[in-house]
């Protein structure tokens, strides 16, 4: 077998995303390089054996753009036009809303009726979902536009505001699901949502009414690792919290508590913020 010449061997650019081979040295090689070419060939051979397997693993196809969106949060500020039409882009996801019209029945909210919501992502076949209403946040001047669309993790909750359309992996299966603000059935008129979970076999979103039922009259505060954290309040004293687990298409109540902040049995201070009750009924089933 003929030993390869140094001029025929190329180095690896560690910063090239496609692991392409590049020429490491200029054409004019000095005498010292020629003198040590044998050891250079050995070193390059070792580098090739070490780095190429890593390149191959780095080129494995990803099942979904969820890996990117889990890190990079994307917002959209699009609003429907006078005909009730809106086109929204969240990275490589395209969402269009067609409706019979949108009205500001509430000052800070725009409500679109008889909505045809069309969603398309790299892993989702283009699909149109029908909803009686879709609600969108609406900022009033001089405030900046509200973020009507969102893509990414919901583990930080809704402290910074509500979104009308959200792409997020809520059941922790590696695929993005869709959450749509569709009413005001949360506690004291807070948002209530329609949940569409991604089914990998037909590559379609499927409405999960069981999850919506468990969330009735509760306000969603955050979603973490397939757990939905919700709460309610009633009058000046009564409060309640619950944790709902969602795995695949199955939703179940994991833990809950009801308490009062008034009277002889009132919870105060550290007792209210003690979250040990959340772990009483175990982890979500996988």
């Amino acid at each position: 077998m003929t030993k390869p010449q140094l001029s025929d061997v190329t180095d690896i650019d560690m910063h090239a995303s496609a692991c392409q081979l590049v020429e490491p040295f200029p054409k004019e090689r000095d005498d010292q390089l020629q003198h040590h070419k044998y050891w250079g060939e050995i070193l390059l051979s070792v580098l090739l054996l070490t780095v190429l397997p890593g390149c191959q693993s780095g080129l494995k196809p990803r099942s979904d753009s969820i890996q990117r969106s889990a890190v990079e949060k994307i917002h959209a500020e699009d609003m429907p036009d006078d005909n009730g039409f809106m086109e929204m882009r969240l990275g490589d996801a395209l969402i269009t809303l067609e409706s019979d019209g949108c009205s500001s029945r509430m000052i800070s909210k725009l409500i679109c009726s008889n909505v045809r919501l069309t969603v398309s992502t790299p892993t989702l076949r283009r699909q149109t979902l029908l909803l009686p209403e879709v609600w969108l946040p609406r900022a009033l001047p001089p405030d900046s536009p509200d973020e009507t669309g969102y893509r990414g993790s919901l583990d930080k909750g809704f402290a910074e505001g509500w979104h009308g359309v959200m792409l997020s992996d809520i059941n922790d299966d590696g695929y993005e699901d869709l959450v749509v603000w569709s009413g005001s059935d949360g506690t004291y008129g807070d948002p209530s949502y329609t949940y569409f979970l991604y089914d990998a076999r037909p590559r379609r979103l499927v409405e999960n009414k069981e999850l919506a039922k468990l969330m009735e009259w509760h306000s969603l505060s955050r979603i973490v690792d397939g757990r939905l954290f919700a709460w309610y309040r009633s009058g000046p004293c009564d409060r309640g919290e619950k944790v709902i687990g969602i795995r695949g298409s199955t939703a179940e109540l994991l833990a809950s508590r009801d308490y009062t902040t008034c009277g002889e049995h009132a919870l105060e201070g550290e007792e209210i913020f003690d979250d040990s009750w959340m772990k009483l009924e175990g982890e979500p089933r996988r």
Side-chain angles (χ1 to χ4, degrees):
M1 178 181 296
T2 304
K3 185 169 66 175
Q5 298 300 312
L6 181 60
S7 59
D8 298 327
V9 180
T10 52
D11 196 2
I12 293 176
D13 182 1
M14 298 296 184
H15 302 288
S17 61
C19 294
Q20 295 178 341
L21 297 179
V22 298
E23 179 64 27
F25 306 116
K27 293 181 180 179
E28 298 81 9
R29 292 175 170 83
D30 58 25
D31 293 337
Q32 185 180 9
L33 177 61
Q34 291 295 333
H35 179 72
H36 294 291
K37 73 177 183 177
Y38 176 72
W39 293 108
E41 290 168 6
I42 293 177
L43 177 60
L44 289 174
S45 298
V46 172
L47 285 172
L48 286 170
L49 290 173
T50 302
V51 178
L52 283 178
C55 292
Q56 302 221 347
S57 64
L59 293 175
K60 290 180 181 178
R62 292 179 295 181
S63 62
D64 196 9
S65 54
I66 185 65
Q67 287 87 351
R68 174 190 51 73
S69 61
V71 177
E72 177 189 356
K73 296 181 178 180
I74 305 173
H75 299 86
E77 298 177 348
D78 305 277
M79 295 295 290
D81 60 20
D82 293 339
N83 296 318
F85 175 83
M86 175 180 71
E87 182 174 284
M88 175 187 297
R89 285 195 177 273
L90 293 167
D92 54 12
L94 175 63
I95 299 173
T96 60
L97 180 149
E98 297 176 271
S99 71
D100 289 352
C102 305
S103 62
S104 52
R105 279 181 270 165
M106 301 180 179
I107 295 177
S108 61
K109 304 172 185 68
L110 195 66
I111 304 171
C112 302
S113 59
N114 192 22
V115 172
R116 288 80 69 193
L117 194 68
T118 302
V119 185
S120 178
T121 73
T123 56
L124 175 69
R125 293 178 178 174
R126 187 173 183 272
Q127 181 178 358
T128 299
L129 307 166
L130 305 179
L131 297 103
E133 291 183 341
V134 169
W135 292 45
L136 300 169
R138 176 184 171 185
L140 299 178
D143 293 339
S144 59
D146 256 316
E147 295 166 347
T148 53
Y150 173 81
R151 190 180 190 186
S153 171
L154 295 170
D155 60 352
K156 301 302 181 184
F158 298 86
E160 297 180 358
W162 297 323
H163 313 287
V165 181
M166 292 167 279
L167 280 171
S168 184
D169 180 15
I170 68 172
N171 59 351
D172 199 30
D173 66 350
Y175 295 97
E176 287 176 307
D177 308 297
L178 182 70
V179 181
V180 182
W181 183 3
S182 54
S184 59
D185 294 332
T187 184
Y188 277 77
D190 277 353
S192 53
Y193 300 98
T194 301
Y195 302 89
F196 297 93
L197 302 182
Y198 181 79
D199 189 336
R201 288 188 176 182
R203 294 174 58 194
R204 293 182 63 81
L205 294 165
V206 179
E207 182 180 354
N208 193 296
K209 295 182 179 181
E210 179 185 14
L211 178 55
K213 183 71 175 176
L214 286 171
M215 284 293 302
E216 266 187 355
W217 315 122
H218 284 68
S219 296
L220 178 63
S221 61
R222 66 190 188 281
I223 303 176
V224 183
D225 298 332
R227 288 182 168 202
L228 285 77
F229 294 82
W231 60 277
Y232 79 88
R233 63 187 183 277
S234 178
C237 302
D238 295 334
R239 304 286 187 271
E241 299 173 77
K242 65 168 61 174
V243 181
I244 300 169
I246 177 77
R247 283 296 181 267
S249 60
T250 302
E252 60 178 331
L253 179 65
L254 299 180
S256 65
R257 71 166 178 173
D258 299 286
Y259 61 93
T260 182
T261 57
C262 305
E264 180 182 355
H265 302 290
L267 292 186
E268 296 181 1
E270 293 183 0
E271 289 182 300
I272 293 177
F273 294 100
D274 179 9
D275 64 357
S276 60
W277 62 273
M278 295 181 183
K279 305 175 180 64
L280 294 179
E281 298 185 22
E283 299 295 323
R285 291 196 297 266
R286 289 185 180 271

